Amino acid sequence: MNNPFEFSSDNKRYHTLNFHNRTVYGKKIYKAVLDCGFTCPNVDGKKGKGGCIFCNGGSGYFTDNTLSVTGQLEKEISRIRKSHGDVPVIAYFQANTNTYAPLHILRENFFSVLDFPEVSGVSIGTRADCLPDDVLELLGELNSKTNLTVELGLQTVHDSTLRKINRCYSHKEFLDGFYRLKRRNIRTCLHIINGLPEESPEMMLETVRQVAVMNPCSVKIQMLHVIRGTPLENLFKSGKYVPMTKDEYINITVRQLELLPPEMVIERITGDGDKSELVAPLWSMDKISVLGGIDSKLAELNTYQGRLYN
């Protein structure tokens, strides 16, 4: 069966990050994960305490934030080169809320990585409610000097769910931050989580319908992970939260892909967390099986990203 999807050079029926990078950079590119040691307004008490119910205090599994940002980057470039040779990298400010700090510190961290010849772009993970005007000005300046992406944790468009997961800001506030980035022509990537507490398949599809209207440059889709030491783990162990099955996740993700515009890059389509901290669902540890299941279901249905987009 021929692949009917135009944004692909292999068997994928969705717009992969690999296809995007090879189109933009002419080759594969790798992310160098950085941790500035920042916190979050949903942790330090400004908006809330404890963070979202699934948060274990940020992420980033290769970093040592006792090092400076440039020291971390040197270490990451060395790690990447050992496996992949002399390749370009994206400096990825991943852990916690990376625009939640004084402006001079943000400037120092973001611009310091541009001195590395290996760095072909910068990606900054943050919250949409942490984008004041001076930070947006800084991001606009950075955007003029490199390939910048700002990643925002949307998770869901449903305020009822946002309250359950303790995100501590509304979808309306999210839209305000997102569109302020978009008006400045800053590339955005939105994170979507399937399997959030008490969300029905129709609610997950509605999130994607609204994302299609918002039209960010890219999205990341993943299953909700139950991580050790989080409030979500307590809900799971008490039986108040039941994760999706592997088949449920594959089926809903395929249906979501059909609703997204074909030009939108799917930067991630399954989670890739720290296996030593994962409590559930254990099937998500077999990333290859999940990716293969999505590919197989798309081919079985002879469908593809954007087939139902209008």
Side-chain angles (χ1 to χ4, degrees):
M1 188 180 295
N2 292 328
N3 187 354
F5 186 63
E6 61 180 308
F7 296 95
S8 177
S9 56
D10 51 26
N11 68 322
K12 298 296 185 181
R13 291 168 174 249
Y14 56 93
H15 196 152
T16 65
L17 182 60
N18 183 45
F19 181 86
H20 168 77
N21 285 340
R22 290 185 182 277
T23 301
V24 173
Y25 301 101
K27 61 178 72 175
K28 199 160 186 174
I29 193 165
Y30 295 85
K31 284 188 173 178
V33 181
L34 305 172
D35 182 352
C36 295
F38 296 154
T39 184
C40 172
N42 196 18
V43 171
D44 70 3
K46 183 175 181 180
K47 288 287 186 78
K49 291 185 177 180
C52 298
I53 63 170
F54 50 77
C55 179
N56 64 342
S59 56
Y61 305 111
F62 304 108
T63 59
D64 176 2
N65 67 10
T66 62
L67 296 174
S68 66
V69 165
T70 53
Q72 291 178 47
L73 183 56
E74 288 171 351
K75 189 174 180 181
E76 278 286 84
I77 289 171
S78 176
R79 175 187 67 83
I80 292 166
R81 280 181 167 173
K82 285 179 183 178
S83 300
H84 306 291
D86 188 10
V87 294
V89 302
I90 291 175
Y92 184 20
F93 294 87
Q94 181 186 27
N96 294 301
T97 304
N98 288 284
T99 59
Y100 188 56
L103 195 68
H104 71 279
I105 294 176
L106 298 181
R107 175 177 288 278
E108 178 183 349
N109 285 327
F110 296 160
F111 283 82
S112 67
V113 303
L114 301 185
D115 294 332
F116 286 72
E118 299 89 348
V119 171
S120 294
V122 173
S123 187
I124 298 171
T126 191
R127 286 165 57 106
D129 62 340
C130 292
L131 295 168
D133 289 342
D134 57 351
V135 169
L136 286 169
E137 289 289 339
L138 180 67
L139 293 176
E141 183 182 347
L142 185 62
N143 191 44
S144 71
K145 298 181 182 298
T146 190
N147 296 300
L148 174 64
T149 297
V150 174
E151 300 193 15
L152 301 176
L154 169 65
Q155 324 310 5
T156 178
V157 300
H158 304 286
D159 281 317
S160 58
T161 305
L162 294 176
R163 288 189 289 271
K164 289 179 183 124
I165 66 175
N166 193 45
R167 195 179 73 175
C168 292
Y169 72 104
S170 68
H171 183 54
K172 182 179 179 181
E173 290 173 279
F174 179 92
L175 290 174
D176 178 66
F178 168 75
Y179 282 113
R180 293 171 80 210
L181 286 168
K182 194 166 187 176
R183 284 192 292 271
R184 292 174 181 266
N185 295 314
I186 294 174
R187 185 179 188 274
T188 53
C189 175
L190 305 189
H191 293 215
I192 299 169
I193 296 181
N194 287 331
L196 290 166
E198 299 181 40
E199 283 217 342
S200 65
E202 180 53 38
M203 291 173 75
M204 296 177 222
L205 292 175
E206 180 58 26
T207 288
V208 165
R209 290 188 190 100
Q210 293 193 34
V211 167
V213 173
M214 294 163 65
N215 198 26
C217 298
S218 62
V219 298
K220 288 183 175 180
I221 304 173
Q222 74 167 70
M223 172 63 196
L224 179 61
H225 288 154
V226 181
I227 302 299
R228 186 170 291 110
T230 62
L232 184 61
E233 181 189 19
N234 296 332
L235 289 177
F236 172 73
K237 288 185 172 179
S238 68
K240 295 178 181 178
Y241 173 70
V242 179
M244 299 176 80
T245 67
K246 178 180 170 183
D247 285 345
E248 287 172 338
Y249 180 78
I250 289 171
N251 289 334
I252 196 65
T253 303
V254 165
R255 294 178 66 191
Q256 288 173 324
L257 288 173
E258 291 180 311
L259 296 169
L260 292 173
E263 298 84 3
M264 191 179 294
V265 181
I266 310 301
E267 292 204 13
R268 181 176 64 203
I269 204 164
T270 186
D272 192 17
D274 186 350
K275 294 179 181 179
S276 67
E277 298 295 323
L278 181 69
V279 176
L282 297 181
W283 57 259
S284 68
M285 290 194 292
D286 190 351
K287 184 177 179 181
I288 293 175
S289 175
V290 179
L291 292 173
I294 291 169
D295 289 340
S296 295
K297 180 60 69 172
L298 287 166
E300 174 192 330
L301 299 175
N302 193 25
T303 192
Y304 48 88
Q305 180 182 338
R307 186 179 71 85
L308 301 179
Y309 171 70
N310 52 49

